[in-house]
């Protein structure tokens, strides 16, 4: 909690650590309310440090000190200073290595912040990234201090039969009073944020992986007994990830054991602790009847992500937390590549871009905008953002585009080889890519320091006489906090040209002829000319979404329909459909605001008809082509967001398409409504996606036939994808069996926490009337729990971040509700509390009445006493 005004930490103030800790020996005597920690630190001065003071400052929070000794000599109180954040020893040996032994006590049961050592259900586990290790014992808690850890865990044999930590098991034994101990040793030096321990009654699902060099690795997934039947997919995903990283990056696993533990209480998705990943159960557990196809994909993606961190994050780690995107942006890029290869690259790319544009673009355009390498923070936990992760991944993707796959790989090889065992910076990464390829990326580096989403404004001019096309591209970037003026970026823009019959027109540019090229946009304004074009081609720009920018280009509806039909680039084909829908919806929004009658443009009906009747093979892709742009994406396009008009216009399009293409939707639904539960190949997943997309349209018709179909599917479904899709159609319509279906679903799944999360979310995101009253009632439901982050996200998070219509109710009830919950969470779990503030951060984007109401709640939050740093930073910056 905050007493004085919180301190800001700056990148520019970085200095190397004064001391290093080569080796650590940790002993834990585990008890729920009183765990004793004995820590032996082997320290020495860092020759790289310029500082010349004799004192040593170790960081620690919420710890109770029992004793401290240097080289066997207990310290008197006058020899050190203790405050809430640090332990300062006034004098330590300067000319030789020395040893400090600290004994302290912690209370895991009281730890609801889920940082440090805490209790989740009946197991003990740790979370140390970013700065949680200091809640376990005093330490040099910073990533550029890397140590070899030996850990001994002692605990009750019945309560904690399984005792885990990083590395290899090196010893175990029995003790009196039904206690036992296990020792672990991690041969790789690591920063303390990668430390982990787990103790509990856990079942182990075991398998094996043989690496490319023939080493046998034991794979172990630990879960509570009732979850043993939901680990098979996670295990297969792990093996897939290990193989993929060998094949794609030439990277092999290094320890003999890889462990994953699934816990119910977790602030984030998962954590890459060396050899001992700790996962939110959400990203491990899956059975066909409990998890949707998307859940299956997310599990594989997150398992991959944490596994890939073993190289991009652990073997080569970050010098300081400002470099977070060095490991996160790179690892997200790697997991995106992996998921694309495992499923469909086209579909994966669209999903990623969709998430980026709806969520990260909003962050980049709001009061919390920051570069992927931030320059200052109050609370680092607030910087695990969409910008650092998702935009960070886009920046790595652009490097991949600029260097080509082979050049990128060469650069990565050099990076891992040059920096193995080191804590480095984003600059080191770019430098390795440059050196390996003999190129210069000076201007490109601005992506690391400049915040905001660049806008590309494109004009085209065709000259029939010279048979030339001239493309003029202007780039600009709106101001962001502390960055009023922006410099031009190096932006790779992929381009294709289409002839009138839809075929590719050859691009003659700078003496070469190709079907597709990448333009290097580097200046504020640049013109590119293409020759030998007897007819005016249709331009397909920013293919594959080759840069995280907003593209502004005049397009007619017919031109977009043409691209939707013919573009060979799967991303741009989808994008043409999206932009077609965006234009149509915005005309309707104008009509709504002027109280004019609504009419649907026939061109969109024709476009959808051709999508419905031409599968092209990839049914998941076809389902995406049918999805209208989300309300949150549409909001991003409006100067002043009109939540009601957006909702009404989009619903009108959806309903009218359902009416006019009723037969086509119904036919596709029937054709693909098969029972393929338990089958997860691309074909079965695609059929489910397409069928359920059709159901979602048909449910807008609100007739007996559709009610019947939905209810039928709900009760007969043997997989969660179909059951959820049917329940969603029921909940988001006036279906007469709504209450009964929700009750039945709850009774069916009340033992499965992750499924009950879905039940909460579905109700919280409903656009039907009375949703707010439902949300309030659900807050009092016996299954709701403020101490379980997944549950908080499934209700409060879902309502405030994924239900714009009701959250932004003009009477302000949604805003008041959210602020109440933020304040309640502030004392329990600051990280989760601060994430919930996001719903209010975009207040400047709304009309004056809503602005006032949102601002009032932010001010109320900031004025509250004992606010955590986490909430204070987000709320105060949102108001600034
Ligand atoms: N490093 C984790 C990941 O992205 C995320 C995380 C951060 C988890 C902080 C817990 C705490 O893989
Ligand atoms: Zn990560």
């Amino acid at each position: 909690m905050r007493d004085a005004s919180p301190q800001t930490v700056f990148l520019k103030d970085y200095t190397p650590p004064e001391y290093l800790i080569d080796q650590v020996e940790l002993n834990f005597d585990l008890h729920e309310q009183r765990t004793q920690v004995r820590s032996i630190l082997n320290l020495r001065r860092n020759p790289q440090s310029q500082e010349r003071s004799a004192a040593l400052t170790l960081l620690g929070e919420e710890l109770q000190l029992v004793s401290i000794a240097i080289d066997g000599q207990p310290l008197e109180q006058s020899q050190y200073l203790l405050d809430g954040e640090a332990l300062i020893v006034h004098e330590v040996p300067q000319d030789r290595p020395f040893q400090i032994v600290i004994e302290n006590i912690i209370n895991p049961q009281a730890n609801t912040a889920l940082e440090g050592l805490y209790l989740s259900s009946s197991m003990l586990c740790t979370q140390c990234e970013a700065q949680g290790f200091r809640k376990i014992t005093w330490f040099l808690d910073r990533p550029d201090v890397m140590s070899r850890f030996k850990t001994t865990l002692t605990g009750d044999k019945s309560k904690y039969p399984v005792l885990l930590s990083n590395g290899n098991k090196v010893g175990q034994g029995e003790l009196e009073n039904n206690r036992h101990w296990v020792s672990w040793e991690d041969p790789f030096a690591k920063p303390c944020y990668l430390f982990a321990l787990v103790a509990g009654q856990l079942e182990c699902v075991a398998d094996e992986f043989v690496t490319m060099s023939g080493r046998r690795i034991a794979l172990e997934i630990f879960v509570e007994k009732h979850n043993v039947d939901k680990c098979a997919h996670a295990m297969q995903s792990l093996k897939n990830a290990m193989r993929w990283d060998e094949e794609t990056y030439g990277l092999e696993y290094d320890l003999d054991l890889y462990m994953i533990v699934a816990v119910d209480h977790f602030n984030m998705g998962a954590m890459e602790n060396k050899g001992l990943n700790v996962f939110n159960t959400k990203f491990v557990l899956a059975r066909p009847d409990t998890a949707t196809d998307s859940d299956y994909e997310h599990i594989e993606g997150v398992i991959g992500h944490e596994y890939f961190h073993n190289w991009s994050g652990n073997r080569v780690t970050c010098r300081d937390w400002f470099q977070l995107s060095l490991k996160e942006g790179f690892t997200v890029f790697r997991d995106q590549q992996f998921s694309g290869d495992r499923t469909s690259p086209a579909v994966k790319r669209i999903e990623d871009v969709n998430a980026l544009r709806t969520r990260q673009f909003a962050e980049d355009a709001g009061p919390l905008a920051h570069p992927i390498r931030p320059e200052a923070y109050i609370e680092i936990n607030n910087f695990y953002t969409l910008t650092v992760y998702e935009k960070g991944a886009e920046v790595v993707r652009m490097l991949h585009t600029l260097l080509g796959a082979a050049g990128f790989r060469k650069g990565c090889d050099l990076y891992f080889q040059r920096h193995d065992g080191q804590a480095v910076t984003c600059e080191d990464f770019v430098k390795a890519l440059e050196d390996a390829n003999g190129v210069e990326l000076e201007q490109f580096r601005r992506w690391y320091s400049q915040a905001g989403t660049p806008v590309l404004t494109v004009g085209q001019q065709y000259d029939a006489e010279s048979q030339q096309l001239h493309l003029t591209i202007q780039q600009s970037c709106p101001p962001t906090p502390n960055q009023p003026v922006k410099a031009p970026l190096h932006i790779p823009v992929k381009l294709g040209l289409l002839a009138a019959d839809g075929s590719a027109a050859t691009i003659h540019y700078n003496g070469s002829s190709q079907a597709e090229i990448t333009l290097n946009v580097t200046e504020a304004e640049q013109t590119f000319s293409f020759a030998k074009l007897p007819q005016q081609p249709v331009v397909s720009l920013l293919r594959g979404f080759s840069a995280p920018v907003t593209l502004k280009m005049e397009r007619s509806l017919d031109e977009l329909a043409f691209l939707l039909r013919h573009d060979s680039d799967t991303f741009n084909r989808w994008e043409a459909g999206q932009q077609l829908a965006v234009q149509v919806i915005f005309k309707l929004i104008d009509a709504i605001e002027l109280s004019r009658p609504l009419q649907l443009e026939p061109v969109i009906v024709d476009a959808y008809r051709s999508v419905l009747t031409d599968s092209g093979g990839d049914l998941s892709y076809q389902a995406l082509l049918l999805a209208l742009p989300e309300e949150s994406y549409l909001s991003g396009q409006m100067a002043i967001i009109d939540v009601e008009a957006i909702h009404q216009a989009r619903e009108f399009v959806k309903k009218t398409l359902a009416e006019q293409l009723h037969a086509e939707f119904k036919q596709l639904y029937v054709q693909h409504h098969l029972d393929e539960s338990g089958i997860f190949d691309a074909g079965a997943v695609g059929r489910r996606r397409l069928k359920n997309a059709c159901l979602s349209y048909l449910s807008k018709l609100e007739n007996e036939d559709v009610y019947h179909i939905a209810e039928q599917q709900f009760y007969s479904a043997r997989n969660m994808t179909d059951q959820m899709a049917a329940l969603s159609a029921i909940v988001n319509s006036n279906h007469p069996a709504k209450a009964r279906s929700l009750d039945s679903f709850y009774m069916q799944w009340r033992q499965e926490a992750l499924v009950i999360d879905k039940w909460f979310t579905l109700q919280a995101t409903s656009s039907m009337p009375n949703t707010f009253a439902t949300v309030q009632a659900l807050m009092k439901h016996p299954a709701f729990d403020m101490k379980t982050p997944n549950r908080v996200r499934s209700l409060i998070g879902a309502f405030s971040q994924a239900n714009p219509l009701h959250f932004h109710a003009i009477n302000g009830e949604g805003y008041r509700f959210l602020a109440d919950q933020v304040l309640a969470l502030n004392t329990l779990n600051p990280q989760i509390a601060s994430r919930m503030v996001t719903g209010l951060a975009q207040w400047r984007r709304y009309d004056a009445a809503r602005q006032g109401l949102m601002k009032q709640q932010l001010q109320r939050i900031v004025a509250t006493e004992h606010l955590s740093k986490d909430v204070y930073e987000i709320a105060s910056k949102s108001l600034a």
Side-chain angles (χ1 to χ4, degrees):
M1 296 299 123
R2 183 169 63 95
D3 319 303
S5 68
Q7 294 264 302
T8 299
V9 186
F10 295 94
L11 168 59
K12 65 175 166 46
D13 293 343
Y14 174 85
T15 54
E18 284 178 57
Y19 297 88
L20 300 174
I21 306 177
D22 297 316
Q23 277 196 42
V24 192
E25 220 183 293
L26 296 171
N27 289 277
F28 289 86
D29 194 9
L30 297 165
H31 297 271
E32 274 132 67
Q33 296 182 36
R34 200 184 151 82
T35 287
Q36 297 195 43
V37 187
R38 184 163 186 271
S39 154
I40 306 172
L41 309 177
N42 293 293
L43 293 121
R44 67 185 158 96
R45 268 219 88 92
N46 179 8
Q48 247 83 71
S49 166
Q50 310 297 316
E51 290 292 324
R52 277 288 152 252
S53 98
L56 166 71
T57 302
L58 297 171
L59 300 173
E61 285 170 22
E62 290 160 45
L63 305 172
Q64 189 186 328
L65 182 64
V66 177
S67 72
I68 170 166
I70 296 191
D71 289 334
Q73 291 290 318
L75 291 192
E76 316 251 308
Q77 276 209 7
S78 62
Q79 295 175 281
Y80 62 86
L81 193 96
L82 197 58
D83 69 21
E85 292 183 348
L87 170 63
I88 303 167
V89 181
H90 297 314
E91 227 180 298
V92 296
Q94 298 297 301
D95 47 351
R96 59 179 168 82
F98 57 99
Q99 191 176 70
I100 291 196
V101 180
I102 297 173
E103 289 179 303
N104 65 275
I105 289 167
I106 44 185
N107 181 353
Q109 191 167 71
N111 183 351
T112 57
L114 313 185
E115 201 186 30
L117 179 67
Y118 65 91
L119 199 60
S120 173
S121 304
S122 61
M123 68 176 116
L124 287 166
C125 64
T126 53
Q127 174 51 47
C128 296
E129 187 178 5
Q131 300 180 331
F133 193 81
R134 65 187 65 181
K135 291 183 165 183
I136 293 175
T137 187
W138 281 277
F139 204 75
L140 296 177
D141 186 358
R142 44 186 293 167
D144 54 356
V145 172
M146 299 174 73
S147 323
R148 261 168 305 122
F149 282 72
K150 184 175 176 192
T151 307
T152 300
L153 307 172
T154 303
D156 185 272
K157 255 199 293 188
S158 321
K159 278 187 177 165
Y160 308 116
V162 174
L163 297 170
L164 309 174
S165 192
N166 318 85
N168 307 309
K169 199 190 264 195
V170 292
Q172 57 188 321
E174 306 272 311
L175 298 166
E176 289 177 347
N177 300 324
N178 194 42
R179 295 180 78 75
H180 70 149
W181 62 272
V182 179
S183 285
W184 294 84
E185 209 171 300
D186 182 354
F188 294 94
K190 65 169 174 287
C192 65
Y193 84 85
L194 291 172
F195 169 82
L197 78 78
V198 172
Q201 287 173 344
L202 295 162
E203 300 286 316
C204 173
V205 175
D207 205 330
E208 189 184 69
F209 179 81
V210 181
T211 70
M212 59 184 178
S213 72
R215 292 173 41 246
R216 302 184 103 75
I217 314 293
L219 310 178
E220 301 183 343
I221 299 182
F222 292 88
V223 292
E224 287 174 280
K225 194 167 188 172
H226 63 278
N227 289 325
V228 166
D229 59 347
K230 301 183 206 84
C231 297
H233 176 64
M235 185 62 89
Q236 187 56 50
S237 301
L238 176 59
K239 292 193 273 183
N240 295 341
M242 295 178 89
R243 190 62 75 215
W244 185 90
D245 214 15
E246 292 181 343
E247 286 169 357
T248 316
Y249 283 86
L251 296 172
E252 187 175 334
Y253 187 59
D254 47 14
L255 289 162
D256 300 329
L257 173 62
Y258 194 90
M259 296 177 281
I260 288 176
V261 183
V263 304
D264 288 325
H265 298 82
F266 204 73
N267 285 344
M268 309 279 272
M271 180 63 212
E272 70 264 25
N273 316 303
K274 184 80 188 188
L276 177 58
N277 290 180
V278 175
F279 268 65
N280 186 326
T281 42
K282 184 178 164 64
F283 294 111
V284 175
L285 306 177
R287 217 173 51 192
D289 58 334
T290 64
T292 64
D293 295 338
S294 298
D295 293 334
Y296 271 72
E297 291 176 359
H298 292 147
I299 289 169
E300 183 152 29
V302 178
I303 294 255
H305 180 97
E306 305 312 329
Y307 175 73
F308 303 143
H309 267 316
N310 191 56
W311 278 96
S312 49
N314 301 2
R315 286 289 285 260
V316 181
T317 194
C318 300
R319 186 192 72 173
D320 56 74
W321 291 118
F322 297 102
Q323 318 295 329
L324 185 58
S325 201
L326 172 71
K327 76 176 174 83
E328 296 304 348
F330 188 17
T331 304
V332 170
F333 173 69
R334 277 151 57 67
D335 85 50
Q336 290 177 349
Q337 284 183 300
F338 167 60
S339 293
D341 287 353
R342 295 282 314 152
T343 56
S344 148
V347 169
K348 176 65 179 155
R349 185 67 189 135
I350 291 165
E351 287 171 350
D352 290 338
V353 173
N354 216 3
L356 183 88
R357 292 203 300 204
T358 49
R359 304 174 56 218
Q360 194 278 328
F361 278 22
E363 185 169 272
D364 234 353
L368 300 168
H370 52 276
I372 64 166
R373 183 184 54 213
E375 261 138 44
Y377 61 75
I378 292 175
E379 171 53 63
I380 184 58
N381 286 327
N382 284 329
F383 284 81
Y384 287 77
T385 58
L386 294 157
T387 298
V388 166
Y389 274 66
E390 315 304 323
K391 187 177 180 181
E394 293 298 320
V395 170
V396 175
R397 182 179 295 273
M398 288 189 283
L399 289 166
H400 184 274
T401 301
L402 289 169
L403 300 173
F408 183 77
R409 169 66 196 273
K410 256 203 295 178
C412 292
D413 288 353
L414 181 62
Y415 170 71
F416 289 120
Q417 180 208 325
R418 189 184 268 180
H419 297 296
D420 190 11
Q422 298 177 1
V424 302
T425 62
C426 298
E427 169 58 26
D428 293 318
F429 180 69
V430 178
K431 191 79 174 54
L433 297 190
E434 281 183 335
D435 291 353
N437 288 281
V439 297
E440 176 271 297
L441 295 163
E442 208 42 52
Q443 187 182 0
F444 187 85
R445 282 170 168 78
R446 285 185 187 146
W447 282 104
Y448 285 88
S449 56
Q450 206 164 276
T453 305
V455 179
L456 293 187
T457 309
V458 182
Q460 43 175 322
Q461 193 216 327
Y462 177 69
D463 181 357
E465 206 164 305
S466 67
Q467 304 199 340
Q468 282 200 338
L469 173 74
H470 307 286
L471 277 186
T472 301
I473 304 185
Q474 291 172 315
Q475 64 162 306
S476 64
C477 183
T480 51
N482 301 321
Q483 288 188 344
V485 185
K486 310 284 184 175
L489 295 162
H490 180 179
I491 305 173
V493 177
K494 271 196 198 162
L495 165 80
L497 298 177
L498 280 77
D501 64 352
S503 68
T506 305
I507 303 172
H508 300 276
Y509 181 69
N510 275 354
S512 76
S513 329
Q514 279 158 294
E516 182 176 277
I517 60 166
T518 300
L519 304 174
N520 286 293
V521 173
T522 54
E523 286 159 39
E525 179 172 331
Q526 245 166 310
T527 299
F528 300 88
S529 300
F530 310 98
K532 298 193 209 160
L533 292 162
Q535 262 132 29
Q536 175 158 14
V538 176
V539 176
S540 168
L541 207 61
L542 204 69
R543 284 186 157 183
F545 201 67
S546 60
V549 300
T550 298
L551 188 58
K552 289 204 172 144
M553 192 173 174
E554 294 273 327
R555 296 278 203 189
S556 69
L557 293 180
D558 289 333
E559 200 173 53
L560 290 168
F562 174 86
L563 286 168
L564 172 61
R565 205 167 295 221
H566 298 296
D567 203 325
S568 61
D569 183 76
T570 49
F571 177 81
N572 269 7
R573 208 185 140 205
W574 171 81
E575 174 70 344
Q578 292 290 294
Q579 295 314 321
L580 178 64
V582 167
Q583 287 201 24
V584 166
I585 291 170
F586 273 105
K587 276 196 196 156
L588 291 164
I589 289 174
D590 287 345
I592 290 166
E593 292 185 338
L594 297 166
S595 304
R596 298 238 171 94
L598 303 186
Q599 255 186 332
L600 192 63
E601 300 271 352
V603 56
I604 191 171
V605 182
D606 291 340
Y608 269 67
R609 183 178 292 114
S610 64
V611 170
L612 281 164
T613 48
D614 168 27
S615 93
D618 184 343
L619 301 193
S620 290
Y621 181 68
Q622 194 182 358
L624 282 177
L625 290 179
L626 290 175
L628 290 171
E630 287 165 37
E631 288 179 23
S632 47
Y633 177 73
L634 297 164
S635 303
Q637 317 290 306
M638 265 188 122
I640 297 171
I641 300 171
D642 184 341
V643 273
E644 281 147 4
I646 289 174
H647 180 73
Q648 203 189 325
R650 189 178 179 281
E651 286 295 298
F652 174 79
V653 174
K654 196 163 176 187
K655 179 155 186 246
T656 311
L657 285 172
E659 285 164 359
Q660 302 201 7
L661 300 169
H662 171 230
E664 286 86 348
F665 280 118
K666 183 78 187 280
Q667 193 271 327
L668 267 190
Y669 177 85
V670 173
Q671 181 187 344
H672 295 303
H673 186 46
L674 313 167
D675 183 12
E676 300 179 294
S677 305
I679 304 178
F680 289 93
D681 59 32
V685 171
R687 282 187 285 278
R688 283 193 285 270
R689 291 223 163 109
L690 189 56
K691 164 188 74 182
N692 289 321
C694 294
L695 177 62
S696 167
Y697 275 95
L698 291 169
S699 71
K700 296 294 155 195
L701 298 172
E702 303 268 2
N703 63 33
E704 288 303 320
D705 180 43
V706 181
Y707 289 160
H708 177 72
I709 293 178
E711 202 171 352
Q712 189 69 24
Q713 179 172 325
F714 175 70
Y715 284 105
S716 64
R718 293 196 293 121
N719 67 79
M720 188 47 73
T721 303
D722 284 347
Q723 198 180 13
M724 257 335 258
L727 188 59
S728 170
I730 292 169
V731 169
N732 287 293
S733 69
N734 294 310
H735 202 293
K738 193 186 296 194
R740 182 153 50 89
S741 312
L742 280 167
D743 287 350
S744 143
F745 188 86
Y746 183 80
M747 288 313 286
Q748 184 184 355
W749 295 115
R750 63 192 183 287
Q751 308 292 355
E752 294 289 347
L754 296 170
V755 182
I756 295 304
D757 287 337
K758 297 181 192 299
W759 181 81
F760 276 100
T761 296
L762 195 57
Q763 297 177 75
T765 52
S766 168
S767 59
M768 301 305 283
N770 285 325
T771 293
F772 183 62
T774 305
V775 168
Q776 282 180 306
L778 287 172
M779 289 293 296
K780 302 209 171 73
H781 192 282
F784 183 74
D785 175 23
M786 282 292 246
K787 290 186 184 163
T788 306
N790 285 355
R791 209 37 63 87
V792 170
R793 284 185 281 254
S794 75
L795 181 57
I796 302 168
F799 175 68
S800 60
Q801 290 164 30
N803 195 341
L805 186 66
H806 291 297
F807 174 64
H808 292 284
I810 190 64
N811 63 11
E813 61 189 10
Y815 307 147
R816 214 172 317 117
F817 165 81
L818 184 62
D820 290 345
Q821 307 317 324
V822 166
L823 292 175
L825 285 162
N826 175 60
T827 31
L828 289 172
N829 187 330
Q831 282 186 47
I832 300 298
S834 132
R835 299 253 162 201
M836 293 300 130
V837 183
T838 323
L840 294 166
Q842 301 288 333
W843 61 277
R844 277 194 187 79
R845 303 292 316 282
Y846 295 86
D847 54 83
R850 287 183 174 86
Q851 278 198 16
L853 292 163
M854 292 172 92
K855 208 171 146 186
Q856 198 184 330
Q857 295 306 322
L858 281 168
Q859 283 163 340
R860 181 181 149 217
I861 292 171
V862 173
T864 303
E865 271 181 53
H866 305 301
L867 212 53
S868 61
K869 280 206 261 183
D870 310 61
V871 173
Y872 172 78
E873 179 170 38
I874 299 297
S876 63
K877 286 185 176 171
S878 296
L879 282 168

